Amino acid sequence: MITRGQTRIIKIGNRKIGGGHPILVQSMTQTRTHDVPATVSQILELEKAGCEIVRVTVPDMKAAKTLGKIKAQIHIPLVADIHFQYLLALESIKQGVDKVRINPGNIGGANQVKAVVKACKEKQIPIRIGVNMGSLEKDLWAQYGKYGVARVMVESATKQIKILEKEKFYEIVVSLKGSDVNQTIKAYEAFAGRFAYPLHVGITEAGTAWSGSLKSAVGIGSILSKGIGDTIRVSIAANPVEQVRTAWEILKVLDLRQKGISIIACPTCGRTQIDLIGLAKKVERALSQVQAPLKVAVMGCVVNGPGEARFADIGLSGGKKQAAIFKKGKVVAIIEEEKKFLPVFLQEVRKVLLEKGYQEDAQRLHQVSQK
Amino acid sequence: MITRGQTRIIKIGNRKIGGGHPILVQSMTQTRTHDVPATVSQILELEKAGCEIVRVTVPDMKAAKTLGKIKAQIHIPLVADIHFQYLLALESIKQGVDKVRINPGNIGGANQVKAVVKACKEKQIPIRIGVNMGSLEKDLWAQYGKYGVARVMVESATKQIKILEKEKFYEIVVSLKGSDVNQTIKAYEAFAGRFAYPLHVGITEAGTAWSGSLKSAVGIGSILSKGIGDTIRVSIAANPVEQVRTAWEILKVLDLRQKGISIIACPTCGRTQIDLIGLAKKVERALSQVQAPLKVAVMGCVVNGPGEARFADIGLSGGKKQAAIFKKGKVVAIIEEEKKFLPVFLQEVRKVLLEKGYQEDAQRLHQVSQK
């Protein structure tokens, strides 16, 4: 449905982004990187939640030297996040990281850039240039500030890209993050019109779990809906597992990736005759472990219920003491007692899973139902 | 920042939408409309949360006849939601509602349309045409279905508009809601290119509180970021107060409206040396009653903290045993003990509120701090 921009394909470990490859979900650890067991444990938790690339901060040489040990214990590409110190980049690359996030414009000069580029070329790993609204170059502000911060962000990325291209290095991923959503959207759009390097999309410093998730959904969602973006990261002040869950939800909403169930539930109004909110929540909980991409509708509305159902794989439309179960718009069963709505519906979901060949999901759902 | 479409200005009670007027937040009650005390009580709760237009379902004549009593006890425009039965519309209009949501294409024929239009003209109230992906006309599916559901939605709106325009009625608001975000974005965009009638934007049947809010943020946010939309409603299976809170957050994120504080908080990483998530939550809670539009940053990061701060009215950047408070990018105080971070910061926020002339907010914050 969304026509995605044709960006350059970049390899990150055993994954690829750009050129229409699936948009990958990434996150960043919150542990001290030197604390290998804690960092590995958080990464494994992130993997389980669906994280596909993970970044760790590398503030000093001690952290850099642990990266090999971390990488040996995880299953997704590892990215080293480095600021200013090129020696940390060299050590991280030596340790086997799959990508380095470093801005070549602030690591000391041409020799330092040459050293990092040489190391990346040898190991065939890419560099992410991370432009951030909060740390733009003063000279670029002076020159382009009058055109707005989005322009300064794009010029900053351009400057960094030129430094790498001068060294004939093109394995580049770019991010242009800001906490201002409008400016960030504008920056990504302008960049995508100027370069074909793949984009890492995010809104920085988005806020706490609730407001930050919504801010990320608006910002990242708007950018993705324009066909821009090859990997995303949700930056909220919360457990990184929440960041991954939110990132997936954004991708699912735009049909860019599929993962687990999507619930369609009506907001209820004075026409609703059953405890729809309660029922929808129970359905969502019961199906939370299902991996199959299934659209499930829970409706309390005779006006839109059956019609919306044509877009769902399976749905329930509940009225007073009676509910209809429909599959792809056709009624397949009528349930007469409200207390049977949930168990009968879950049974029918299980059948759909079996029909579609998701045996494990069906089994998992069966176990949940027995509880 | 966002250039909004120049839609026709429509009066809804004492408010106006369209033509660049502020995008209004609306919601719908979940009570039985006949239950006047329950309905009024929910509307008053919604008003307090920032709801600016409220809609109630009118499923029968008994409900229609209560609308005058409801209207007398509330302070925001009241909209009657009617399906199929034009007599309910006539009664609702007689009762003094400020807008009617009804689709003229399915109320029985030309005479019924004439009667409703005549009543609306007399009382000078607008009609919202509510196109819904779940209840599109079969003939339009047959004719336009091959171009996709978004096209069918726009054709459905066009058909309904023509019926009203034939009666020289132009006080029209239109919605084109679907549970599929991509199709809904496409429908709103196509409509905005064809008509200048103001748009009521929403994603229907969005889902439960968490996933539905994110879906609404992606969908409504993407549409608004294109300059489309004059009033919004978040449809999630949750307390309508949550719908209003989410709607406001979406508008705030895009700088389309301002209300209360916006928290900028970093997502924390291995560089963070304080309990930033905990601190950000405490700050958000302490400032939750503040009405002034204030950007507040809570940062744990020496890399982006001070830079992002230039976009915040006031911020705290906390490191090991020391935090800096900055205003519009300048450090104004250093706090030496972590336990003093919160109280000293709140004191400084209070000063900013007083400087900006928000005496009541400052007073409210003072009371919270004393607790």
Side-chain angles (χ1 to χ4, degrees):
Chain A
M1 178 69 212
I2 293 175
T3 310
R4 292 180 53 208
Q6 282 305 308
T7 47
R8 181 182 174 84
I9 298 168
I10 299 288
K11 218 175 113 282
I12 304 168
N14 57 0
R15 305 299 298 254
K16 281 176 185 168
I17 62 164
H21 279 87
I23 296 170
L24 300 185
V25 169
Q26 56 176 286
S27 190
M28 190 169 181
T29 53
Q30 291 171 335
T31 53
R32 311 242 137 246
T33 306
H34 335 128
D35 185 344
V36 176
T39 303
V40 167
S41 149
Q42 188 164 61
I43 294 174
L44 295 179
E45 211 189 327
L46 285 168
E47 285 181 4
K48 215 172 137 190
C51 181
E52 298 170 305
I53 298 176
V54 71
R55 182 160 45 113
V56 297
T57 185
V58 184
D60 53 37
M61 198 48 86
K62 196 176 158 197
K65 285 188 186 294
T66 64
L67 297 175
K69 274 185 220 128
I70 292 170
K71 186 159 164 59
Q73 298 174 64
I74 65 173
H75 316 90
I76 55 176
L78 181 66
V79 183
D81 191 87
I82 294 155
H83 291 269
F84 317 122
Q85 300 178 64
Y86 85 109
L87 289 174
L88 298 181
L90 294 183
E91 180 61 30
S92 301
I93 296 163
K94 196 174 139 193
Q95 292 279 331
V97 297
D98 301 293
K99 184 166 85 172
V100 176
R101 184 265 193 218
I102 194 165
N103 288 351
N106 63 23
I107 59 172
N111 289 339
Q112 285 79 351
V113 171
K114 276 182 209 296
V116 172
V117 164
K118 186 167 172 268
C120 284
K121 280 186 179 170
E122 277 170 13
K123 296 270 191 144
Q124 297 187 5
I125 64 170
I127 291 174
R128 169 159 69 94
I129 293 169
V131 172
N132 194 303
M133 198 172 125
S135 52
L136 293 164
E137 298 92 327
K138 277 188 184 157
D139 58 325
L140 295 179
W141 267 116
Q143 199 176 346
Y144 300 102
K146 59 187 167 190
Y147 305 114
V149 61
R151 174 69 184 273
V152 184
M153 289 166 80
V154 175
E155 293 300 338
S156 174
T158 303
K159 188 180 157 186
Q160 314 269 346
I161 286 170
K162 280 187 184 160
I163 294 172
L164 294 180
E165 287 182 340
K166 203 179 153 202
E167 302 300 327
K168 302 205 183 322
F169 188 82
Y170 309 99
E171 304 311 302
I172 301 169
V173 180
V174 174
S175 64
L176 304 128
K177 299 187 190 176
S179 63
D180 180 299
V181 168
N182 287 323
Q183 295 294 347
T184 307
I185 295 172
K186 212 173 156 183
Y188 275 100
E189 219 176 348
F191 182 90
R194 203 186 270 194
F195 293 100
Y197 289 114
L199 283 163
H200 164 125
V201 175
I203 302 295
T204 43
E205 281 82 61
T208 54
W210 181 76
S211 63
S213 298
L214 291 175
K215 190 171 181 177
S216 297
V218 171
I220 297 174
S222 296
I223 293 165
L224 293 176
S225 81
K226 294 174 196 283
I228 298 169
D230 301 284
T231 173
I232 66 169
R233 190 232 168 161
V234 170
S235 306
I236 48 177
N239 186 317
V241 165
E242 287 306 308
Q243 305 185 3
V244 170
R245 283 184 67 214
T246 301
W248 271 105
E249 205 60 30
I250 295 170
L251 291 173
K252 280 165 65 179
V253 156
L254 290 166
D255 270 334
L256 287 163
R257 297 285 301 273
Q258 296 198 309
K259 183 174 186 284
I261 58 147
S262 297
I263 297 261
I264 297 167
C266 79
T268 87
C269 68
R271 284 191 302 263
T272 316
Q273 295 171 314
I274 58 166
D275 171 24
L276 188 106
I277 296 177
L279 184 64
K281 270 191 198 162
K282 280 177 197 156
V283 169
E284 191 173 49
R285 210 176 303 135
L287 302 181
S288 65
Q289 298 305 313
V290 170
Q291 298 293 314
L294 215 60
K295 283 199 174 137
V296 178
V298 184
M299 311 287 289
C301 173
V302 289
V303 177
N304 295 316
E308 280 285 348
R310 75 156 74 197
F311 305 102
D313 293 297
I314 182 161
L316 176 145
S317 190
K320 213 172 178 175
K321 290 174 188 168
Q322 201 188 57
I325 292 181
F326 37 75
K327 287 185 191 168
K328 287 279 174 195
K330 282 190 185 161
V331 173
V332 294
I334 297 287
I335 321 170
E336 300 285 355
E337 273 178 275
E338 193 167 341
K339 68 173 182 186
K340 285 191 183 163
F341 287 2
L342 183 69
V344 175
F345 185 60
L346 292 180
Q347 252 172 36
E348 292 295 330
V349 172
R350 199 171 157 254
K351 281 187 207 164
V352 172
L353 288 170
L354 287 170
E355 283 162 21
K356 288 178 174 268
Y358 294 101
Q359 317 296 336
E360 279 183 35
D361 277 335
Q363 182 60 26
R364 223 174 272 140
L365 182 54
H366 182 66
Q367 287 162 352
V368 171
S369 311
Q370 301 297 309
K371 278 179 197 166
Chain B
M1 177 68 213
I2 294 174
T3 310
R4 292 180 54 208
Q6 283 305 307
T7 47
R8 181 182 172 85
I9 298 168
I10 299 287
K11 218 176 114 278
I12 305 167
N14 56 1
R15 304 300 298 254
K16 282 176 184 166
I17 62 165
H21 278 88
I23 296 168
L24 300 186
V25 168
Q26 56 176 287
S27 190
M28 190 169 182
T29 53
Q30 290 170 336
T31 53
R32 312 243 137 246
T33 306
H34 335 129
D35 186 344
V36 176
T39 303
V40 167
S41 148
Q42 189 164 61
I43 294 174
L44 295 179
E45 212 189 325
L46 285 169
E47 286 182 3
K48 214 172 136 189
C51 181
E52 298 170 306
I53 299 176
V54 71
R55 183 159 45 114
V56 297
T57 186
V58 184
D60 53 35
M61 198 48 86
K62 195 176 157 198
K65 284 188 187 293
T66 64
L67 297 176
K69 274 185 219 128
I70 292 170
K71 187 163 163 56
Q73 298 174 63
I74 66 172
H75 316 90
I76 55 176
L78 180 67
V79 183
D81 191 86
I82 293 154
H83 291 269
F84 318 123
Q85 300 177 66
Y86 85 110
L87 289 174
L88 298 180
L90 295 183
E91 180 61 30
S92 301
I93 296 164
K94 196 174 140 193
Q95 292 280 330
V97 298
D98 301 293
K99 185 167 84 174
V100 177
R101 185 264 191 218
I102 194 165
N103 287 351
N106 63 23
I107 59 173
N111 289 338
Q112 285 78 352
V113 171
K114 275 183 210 298
V116 172
V117 163
K118 186 167 170 269
C120 285
K121 279 186 181 170
E122 277 170 16
K123 295 270 192 145
Q124 297 189 4
I125 65 170
I127 291 176
R128 170 157 70 95
I129 292 169
V131 171
N132 195 302
M133 199 172 125
S135 52
L136 293 164
E137 297 92 328
K138 277 187 184 159
D139 58 325
L140 295 179
W141 266 115
Q143 196 175 346
Y144 300 103
K146 59 186 166 189
Y147 305 115
V149 60
R151 175 69 185 272
V152 184
M153 290 165 79
V154 175
E155 294 299 338
S156 174
T158 303
K159 189 180 157 187
Q160 314 270 347
I161 286 170
K162 280 186 184 159
I163 294 172
L164 295 180
E165 287 181 342
K166 204 179 154 203
E167 302 300 329
K168 302 207 184 319
F169 188 82
Y170 308 100
E171 304 312 300
I172 301 170
V173 179
V174 175
S175 63
L176 303 128
K177 300 188 191 177
S179 64
D180 180 299
V181 169
N182 287 323
Q183 295 294 347
T184 306
I185 295 173
K186 214 173 153 180
Y188 275 100
E189 219 175 348
F191 182 91
R194 203 187 268 195
F195 293 101
Y197 289 115
L199 283 162
H200 164 125
V201 175
I203 303 295
T204 43
E205 282 80 63
T208 53
W210 181 75
S211 62
S213 297
L214 291 175
K215 191 171 180 176
S216 297
V218 171
I220 297 175
S222 296
I223 294 164
L224 292 177
S225 81
K226 293 174 196 287
I228 298 168
D230 299 285
T231 173
I232 66 170
R233 192 231 168 164
V234 170
S235 306
I236 48 178
N239 185 317
V241 165
E242 286 307 309
Q243 306 185 3
V244 169
R245 282 185 66 214
T246 300
W248 270 104
E249 205 60 30
I250 295 170
L251 291 174
K252 280 166 64 179
V253 156
L254 290 167
D255 271 333
L256 287 163
R257 296 285 302 272
Q258 296 199 308
K259 183 174 187 283
I261 58 147
S262 298
I263 295 263
I264 297 166
C266 79
T268 88
C269 69
R271 281 190 303 262
T272 316
Q273 295 171 315
I274 57 167
D275 172 22
L276 188 104
I277 296 177
L279 184 64
K281 271 190 196 162
K282 280 178 198 156
V283 168
E284 192 173 47
R285 210 176 303 134
L287 302 183
S288 65
Q289 298 306 314
V290 170
Q291 298 294 314
L294 215 60
K295 284 201 173 135
V296 178
V298 184
M299 311 288 290
C301 172
V302 289
V303 176
N304 295 317
E308 280 286 348
R310 75 158 73 198
F311 305 103
D313 293 298
I314 182 162
L316 176 146
S317 189
K320 213 171 179 176
K321 292 175 187 168
Q322 202 187 55
I325 292 181
F326 37 76
K327 287 185 192 171
K328 288 280 174 193
K330 280 190 186 161
V331 173
V332 293
I334 297 287
I335 322 170
E336 299 286 356
E337 272 178 274
E338 194 167 341
K339 67 174 181 184
K340 287 192 182 163
F341 287 1
L342 183 68
V344 175
F345 186 59
L346 292 180
Q347 252 172 35
E348 293 294 330
V349 172
R350 198 169 160 256
K351 281 188 207 163
V352 172
L353 289 170
L354 287 172
E355 282 162 21
K356 288 176 175 271
Y358 294 99
Q359 317 296 335
E360 278 183 36
D361 277 335
Q363 182 59 26
R364 222 174 273 138
L365 183 54
H366 182 64
Q367 287 160 353
V368 172
S369 309
Q370 302 297 308
K371 278 178 196 168

